[in-house]
Amino acid sequence: MEKTLSIVKPDGTRKNIIGEVIKRFEQRGLRITALKMLRLSQDEAKLFYIIHREKPFYESLTSFMSEGPIVVMVIEGEHAITMVREIMGATNPKEAAQGTIRSDFATSVEHNIVHGSDSKESAAYEIPFFFSSLDIF
Ligand code: DAT
Ligand code: MG
């Protein structure tokens, strides 16, 4: 069993599709083992996305990520990291496969509804960023 971190981003909570995102994960047999809603400050968003600190979109990404509430969750299952990435679709919604969350709901590369850890290493940073081991069922 593998664990990954997913986030319904501020555009997703604004569009009222928290349940839609969770449903797509659950329908593929993945389990939500921790869940909460919160709002990040821009400094917290910068720390979460520290790996992108040199990118030209770092300021605008972290400003967007702190503009409203987000829903963060730990998802568990076989190949959870790859499966969540598949269900999300490509970063750029124009390149995302049909039927993926980003293809169906994202409006731009930046406003792309959902986050998912891209590797075991990322998950190992991102899960404890939001949850203590006691929060995860
Ligand atoms: P992903 O979220 O698919 O893992 P990423 O890790 O490359 O993508 O980038 C993190 C987020 O940064 C992404 O979800 C949206 C934003 N982003 C990525 N590339 C971008 C770009 N070229 N212009 C604007 N925002 C971008
Ligand atoms: Mg990423």
Side-chain angles (χ1 to χ4, degrees):
M1 284 293 165
E2 197 170 67
K3 283 190 182 69
T4 188
L5 184 95
S6 181
I7 304 178
V8 182
K9 296 184 179 185
D11 54 341
T13 61
R14 196 187 315 119
K15 285 181 171 161
N16 220 18
I17 53 172
I18 298 165
E20 177 67 30
V21 171
I22 291 174
K23 184 185 77 180
R24 289 177 182 219
F25 294 142
E26 289 185 332
Q27 278 179 339
R28 296 286 298 276
L30 295 165
R31 300 195 75 85
I32 311 299
T33 54
L35 180 76
K36 65 184 166 188
M37 183 181 256
L38 58 101
R39 182 171 178 175
L40 291 172
S41 67
Q42 188 167 5
D43 282 347
E44 289 165 340
K46 283 183 167 175
L47 199 56
F48 179 76
Y49 276 120
I50 192 77
I51 194 154
H52 293 307
R53 67 191 176 283
E54 310 289 348
K55 304 273 172 61
F57 54 81
Y58 187 54
E59 277 296 321
S60 106
L61 168 65
T62 54
S63 161
F64 161 63
M65 284 301 289
S66 57
E67 78 183 28
I70 60 174
V71 172
V72 295
M73 64 193 103
V74 177
I75 301 179
E76 195 167 320
E78 249 181 83
H79 308 295
I81 294 172
T82 310
M83 276 191 60
V84 165
R85 299 282 305 183
E86 256 177 47
I87 297 164
M88 284 163 48
T91 310
N92 184 343
K94 288 187 188 134
E95 289 157 17
Q98 247 194 325
T100 59
I101 294 168
R102 283 167 166 173
S103 164
D104 289 346
F105 301 108
T107 50
S108 69
V109 185
E110 186 171 277
H111 298 159
N112 63 8
I113 306 288
V114 69
H115 168 85
S117 310
D118 67 1
S119 63
K120 282 190 201 298
E121 295 69 39
S122 303
Y125 174 74
E126 293 174 358
I127 292 171
F129 190 91
F130 291 107
F131 297 101
S132 98
S133 60
L134 295 174
D135 299 325
I136 303 169
F137 287 88

